[in-house]
Amino acid sequence: NYTTDTKSREENKKTLENLYSLSVDITKIRRLKEWVLLQDVAYVKEIAGILQEMGADETTVASIIERCPEAILHAPAEINSQRALWQLVCQNEKQMIKLIEQFPESFFTTEYQQNQKANILFFQELGLKNNIITRFLTSAPNIFYNPVEKNKNVIETLQRNYLNLGGSEANMKIWILKLLSQNPFILLNTSTAIQENLEFLQKNYFTDQEVLQLLSKLKGFIFQLNSTTMQKSMLFSKNIFKCSDQELKQLVLKCPALLYYSVTVLEERLEGLLKEGISIAQIRETPMVLELTTQIVQYRIKKLSALGYDIKSGNLESLNGTKKDFEVTYGKIQSKKERPIFNPVAPLHVED
């Protein structure tokens, strides 16, 4: 709605004065979104006043405006409506200000207020806790811009498929809530795409139980894929590992990344492992290693080598897992190396 033609226009002096009075770094705004300073109408004092009412100090107000300059172009009534909306899920205004400071753009996107409200109420009815909904509002705001019917449709498709695949009614709510909290972006997909991906897996001989297992392991990312990329990735893995359809299926169940990553990513990661002297047979034995980037693999191999651990001759389990998992493994290997070997039959040197 705002003009971005900056050539023939001058900066609004009143806006500049008001920003200076709040100790806002104008050079940051010029660098980031200069067009904001050219608008005829801005509500600098009013927006600052609302933020201060909510408990923001001068430094916080300046930081919010510097990071999201278009905040000052919103009418106070719009911002007060947005404030009331976020109050539905925030514990208090202190928490709200913290979130606004971290994610100002999420708060100052006010065009979809009706959809946002309807979706907040829908998620609450669904059983999502308010702290999860606030996380969605800040890190996945787009899902609130959808009409609520669209989100309901996707959830109903997931529920129906969960039951059709043999999931129980008793566990369905927990499953849906877990899936959503792990990956809210599944709501940006269409119910048709979800249906097609599940059918693709069934056509590739995965049993209903195995499809359910994959859905849980992939944290919903399967719904952001399409059958063409999945087919290519599976074919690539089948050729690399020289395995039958049944063996490939077991590898995918062990390591869903073989389904999720594109051929380009899988090629790059395989190449990185082979350069480190790791064999295809070792990778086939522990395919989960392909979930790690080449840089992470190199770093972990280097750390283990420093302890005298030869990755080429052992299995790759010690490389796997999250950063925390690896640190635990590394610690165990380190303490094993440092512990002196005790020989129970060696003579004890005791002074007379």
Side-chain angles (χ1 to χ4, degrees):
N1 296 341
Y2 308 112
T3 176
T4 52
D5 176 18
T6 58
K7 286 173 191 170
S8 59
R9 305 193 58 194
E10 285 185 4
E11 290 178 352
N12 184 325
K13 287 193 175 104
K14 192 182 173 193
T15 301
L16 293 177
E17 281 167 20
N18 289 333
L19 289 170
Y20 277 125
S21 73
L22 291 166
S23 306
V24 171
D25 185 343
I26 311 257
T27 55
K28 277 188 185 174
I29 296 181
R30 285 195 183 110
R31 199 168 58 242
L32 190 66
K33 288 176 182 170
E34 193 195 10
W35 57 270
V36 169
L37 303 173
L38 309 177
Q39 305 309 313
D40 296 330
V41 180
Y43 303 94
V44 183
K45 284 184 174 175
E46 293 86 341
I47 298 308
I50 293 171
L51 293 170
Q52 282 161 345
E53 257 177 51
M54 290 159 71
D57 59 22
E58 192 180 282
T59 312
T60 305
V61 171
S63 162
I64 290 169
I65 294 172
E66 284 163 10
R67 290 187 58 205
C68 183
E70 60 270 42
I72 63 173
L73 302 178
H74 289 285
E78 274 178 55
I79 298 310
N80 278 321
S81 296
Q82 193 74 341
R83 177 182 177 181
L85 205 59
W86 279 43
Q87 276 169 339
L88 294 171
V89 286
C90 287
Q91 293 167 6
N92 49 44
E93 295 207 314
K94 189 182 174 186
Q95 186 206 13
M96 204 191 299
I97 278 293
K98 257 189 184 173
L99 291 172
I100 295 169
E101 192 179 8
Q102 285 176 284
F103 308 93
E105 286 181 358
S106 298
F107 181 76
F108 289 104
T109 302
T110 60
E111 292 90 328
Y112 308 92
Q113 279 181 343
Q114 277 187 314
N115 286 356
Q116 285 186 50
K117 185 172 184 178
N119 280 308
I120 285 172
L121 297 174
F122 167 59
F123 291 142
Q124 286 176 328
E125 280 167 32
L126 203 60
L128 276 171
K129 292 193 172 128
N130 284 343
N131 65 325
I132 302 285
I133 300 173
T134 52
R135 202 179 81 214
F136 289 179
L137 272 172
T138 52
S139 57
N142 324 26
I143 66 173
F144 293 87
Y145 308 158
N146 286 337
V148 72
E149 291 71 29
K150 198 257 178 201
N151 286 340
K152 277 183 179 172
N153 199 0
V154 171
I155 295 293
E156 280 162 13
T157 303
L158 289 169
Q159 289 171 327
R160 188 173 59 251
N161 277 293
Y162 180 78
L163 294 174
N164 290 345
L165 290 165
S168 72
E169 192 88 48
N171 291 334
M172 182 175 70
K173 187 180 174 182
I174 297 165
W175 181 77
I176 287 283
L177 294 180
K178 192 176 178 187
L179 201 62
L180 271 179
S181 58
Q182 287 173 331
N183 181 16
F185 297 104
I186 56 176
L187 292 169
L188 298 178
N189 297 289
T190 63
S191 33
T192 318
I194 289 171
Q195 200 67 50
E196 281 172 3
N197 286 351
L198 292 175
E199 282 167 14
F200 167 81
L201 293 173
Q202 287 169 315
K203 279 175 194 164
N204 279 274
Y205 314 111
F206 287 92
T207 65
D208 289 354
Q209 197 54 46
E210 286 166 344
V211 173
L212 266 186
Q213 193 185 325
L214 272 175
L215 295 191
S216 300
K217 278 192 173 182
L218 278 167
K219 300 178 182 175
F221 289 116
I222 189 169
F223 302 127
Q224 287 162 247
L225 303 174
N226 62 62
S227 51
T228 314
T229 55
M230 287 194 280
Q231 186 73 61
K232 283 178 183 171
S233 296
M234 282 176 75
L235 190 61
F236 172 78
S237 298
K238 189 179 177 183
N239 292 335
I240 285 290
F241 296 120
K242 298 182 172 51
C243 56
S244 66
D245 288 339
Q246 193 56 35
E247 287 168 332
L248 176 65
K249 195 175 83 163
Q250 291 312 313
L251 282 175
V252 169
L253 288 169
K254 232 179 183 184
C255 174
L258 295 176
L259 197 65
Y260 177 64
Y261 289 124
S262 67
V263 170
T264 318
V265 171
L266 290 172
E267 267 179 333
E268 184 207 317
R269 292 187 179 184
L270 266 165
E271 203 178 306
L273 288 162
L274 296 174
K275 271 183 186 168
E276 295 294 333
I278 291 164
S279 69
I280 290 286
Q282 282 176 293
I283 301 167
R284 182 173 165 169
E285 193 61 40
T286 316
M288 295 78 76
V289 77
L290 291 167
E291 291 173 0
L292 305 169
T293 65
T294 306
Q295 289 80 358
I296 290 173
V297 166
Q298 285 169 342
Y299 167 76
R300 291 182 181 184
I301 289 174
K302 202 174 172 182
K303 280 201 82 170
L304 291 171
S305 299
L307 293 178
Y309 186 90
D310 184 13
I311 203 77
K312 294 171 208 165
S313 55
N315 71 32
L316 306 181
E317 287 294 338
S318 49
L319 289 178
N320 277 343
T322 60
K323 187 182 177 186
K324 196 177 174 183
D325 295 335
F326 174 71
E327 279 166 6
V328 169
T329 307
Y330 178 79
K332 282 179 184 171
I333 294 169
Q334 192 177 32
S335 61
K336 204 173 177 184
K337 186 177 183 289
E338 287 168 359
R339 198 183 302 133
I341 296 166
F342 174 64
N343 183 350
V345 294
L348 291 174
H349 298 287
V350 183
E351 287 180 18
D352 292 327

